[in-house]
Amino acid sequence: MMDWTDRHCRSFHRLLTKKGHLYTEMINAGAIIYGDVGRHLDFDQEQHHLVLQLGGSEPQDLAKAAKIAQDWGYDQIDLNCGCPSERVQRGSFGACLMAEPQLVADCVKAMKDAVSIPVSVKHRLGLDDMNPHLEQDYQFVLDFMAQVSEAGASQLTIHARNAVLKGLSPKENRMIPPLRYDIAKRLRSDLQQHFPLTKVLLNGGLDTNQSIANHWDDFDGFMIGRAAYHTPAILLGWDEMILSQGRNFGYFLNDQTWLEIQRGIIHNIQAWLVQCQLAQRPFYLAAITRHILGLAHGLGGARLWRQQLSDHRLLSEVKTADDIEMFFTQACRELRIFSDENDEDDLIHRYES
């Protein structure tokens, strides 16, 4: 989720779920050690439980970056061994690391020795044309999982597709290799016979709360990426889903819920405006609105909502706290959202009152 789940996106998502864990975009360990640490690691305190996803393959660099992240206040470190991007491969990290399980284990151990917070690993079901239905290829993945668990990883997330390292784009890698949830379920069962405390999460193709609930008893958790970004209202059902152990997964976006979310968005943006003013740096509303375009997905009037939030002329005119509030009042003036009270008042009248 590089360039997607930045601090603004995470603050928005935290308005929708209090219990879901939030992950950063993947950040190269070297960028943290040698770059602008604040730019990469700053976050708002309400984002906890917050996981830093690291990219890298040098154990000592990863250990240094993990220690910096722990000191910065992060709750967990996640090593990415699942990204198939060729650009990432050139940096010797991502899915290509699955071919070097001992190196990954060394990276995990180095980080565990450096920090007291949990260390986890995200990986794929296999590489290239491996067939996990064949015992040799299945054993390859299971051995990888066992090796990194032995090194100290307390959580593994399986993207239930192979990573094709050459010939497919990252987008194609999310669509063309088949999903094999049955293999991922078997891997969790086999791994936990030897590492019963290692949590195994499922990732890949889970685009609705129903699809998550369908696998609830087969895994210890779920990692949701693009569905959470493009249709963020599904996060509204996550807290109840967690509390009910997957039995209740529905959500209802009525007018009152919309207004509560919108107030939270406005509050976050106004707080960011103040931070920018104090630091004497530019304020770009578009850096925030790009993450919330999907909130009105499926609602009447959503097209105007998206147009307003993407109109750079309008966005550039927003310079004060009052401007922010007026901008969102105007943006949602055509939205049609069900009211529990079934009265004649529309959403904007409620908001302005």
Side-chain angles (χ1 to χ4, degrees):
M1 303 295 286
M2 293 172 68
D3 298 321
W4 287 26
T5 52
D6 63 17
R7 63 181 299 171
H8 301 305
C9 176
R10 298 192 304 267
S11 289
F12 166 54
H13 284 175
R14 183 53 80 213
L15 295 173
L16 308 179
T17 174
K18 302 304 181 187
K19 295 184 177 296
H21 293 184
L22 301 180
Y23 284 68
T24 70
E25 56 195 322
M26 181 172 62
I27 302 173
N28 183 276
I32 295 173
I33 298 170
Y34 305 109
D36 184 339
V37 180
R39 183 172 71 86
H40 292 298
L41 295 187
D42 278 351
F43 62 90
D44 299 320
Q45 289 303 310
E46 74 274 4
Q47 291 179 15
H48 294 291
H49 183 282
L50 182 59
V51 185
L52 173 66
Q53 188 167 105
L54 279 177
S57 58
E58 167 51 51
Q60 295 310 311
D61 281 355
L62 285 165
K64 291 177 184 177
K67 181 62 167 61
I68 293 170
Q70 177 177 268
D71 294 344
W72 216 263
Y74 281 81
D75 301 297
Q76 181 180 328
I77 305 296
D78 189 63
L79 178 63
N80 188 303
C81 296
C83 181
S85 164
E86 290 192 17
R87 177 166 65 94
V88 166
Q89 291 179 52
R90 288 195 291 272
S92 299
F93 55 96
C96 64
L97 285 177
M98 287 190 69
E100 300 183 72
Q102 184 56 58
L103 175 59
V104 177
D106 290 343
C107 291
V108 169
K109 185 178 186 307
M111 288 189 286
K112 282 296 296 180
D113 289 345
V115 301
S116 58
I117 57 178
V119 173
S120 56
V121 175
K122 182 179 186 288
H123 61 93
R124 289 273 183 149
L125 201 63
L127 296 175
D128 297 320
D129 59 355
M130 286 183 176
N131 182 352
H133 289 288
L134 299 178
E135 188 58 31
Q136 179 179 344
D137 292 344
Y138 177 85
Q139 194 63 44
F140 166 84
V141 185
L142 183 59
D143 288 347
F144 174 88
M145 296 172 67
Q147 209 160 342
V148 297
S149 297
E150 178 69 31
S154 57
Q155 173 187 300
L156 305 178
T157 299
I158 305 173
H159 185 139
R161 287 186 174 97
N162 280 16
V164 179
L165 300 179
K166 299 293 182 183
L168 292 184
S169 69
K171 181 178 180 180
E172 291 169 332
N173 259 290
R174 296 191 301 271
M175 301 173 64
I176 294 177
L179 285 162
R180 294 185 169 106
Y181 295 139
D182 57 329
I183 298 296
K185 176 182 175 180
R186 180 186 164 198
L187 284 166
R188 173 188 178 244
S189 177
D190 288 348
L191 179 76
Q192 291 184 340
Q193 291 182 31
H194 302 283
F195 298 94
L197 299 181
T198 302
K199 295 179 180 180
V200 179
L201 280 60
L202 179 66
N203 173 243
L206 302 169
D207 55 5
T208 66
N209 287 349
Q210 173 73 71
S211 63
I212 298 170
N214 289 343
H215 300 282
W216 192 268
D217 295 330
D218 298 331
F219 296 91
D220 302 297
F222 303 89
M223 181 182 286
I224 315 299
R226 280 159 181 80
Y229 192 89
H230 292 303
T231 55
I234 68 172
L235 278 69
L236 292 169
W238 287 6
D239 291 357
E240 181 60 29
M241 191 186 306
I242 292 169
L243 289 171
S244 68
Q245 293 296 300
R247 292 189 299 274
N248 302 328
F249 52 84
Y251 61 92
F252 194 58
L253 182 56
N254 60 13
D255 59 345
Q256 187 57 45
T257 301
W258 177 275
L259 290 176
E260 290 172 1
I261 295 169
Q262 182 139 296
R263 289 188 188 106
I265 291 170
I266 291 171
H267 171 79
N268 287 345
I269 296 174
Q270 289 174 336
W272 179 245
L273 172 64
V274 171
Q275 289 188 50
C276 290
Q277 291 172 337
L278 291 174
Q280 296 185 325
R281 60 189 177 198
F283 167 76
Y284 299 113
L285 183 56
I288 301 175
T289 56
R290 71 186 184 97
H291 296 305
I292 63 179
L293 295 176
L295 181 61
H297 178 80
L299 298 179
R303 182 179 180 183
L304 178 62
W305 158 265
R306 292 191 297 270
Q307 287 176 343
Q308 294 279 102
L309 268 63
S310 304
D311 189 324
H312 286 272
R313 180 186 61 81
L314 295 176
L315 292 166
S316 66
E317 294 173 354
V318 177
K319 301 181 183 299
T320 69
D322 289 342
D323 290 345
I324 293 167
E325 192 154 353
M326 181 57 67
F327 175 85
F328 281 96
T329 299
Q330 291 298 316
C332 68
R333 68 182 184 273
E334 297 296 331
L335 283 179
R336 297 182 293 280
I337 304 175
F338 180 82
S339 170
D340 290 337
E341 299 177 11
N342 291 318
D343 58 25
E344 298 298 322
D345 293 336
D346 62 21
L347 179 64
I348 298 306
H349 178 74
R350 291 171 181 271
Y351 179 74
E352 291 177 337
S353 64

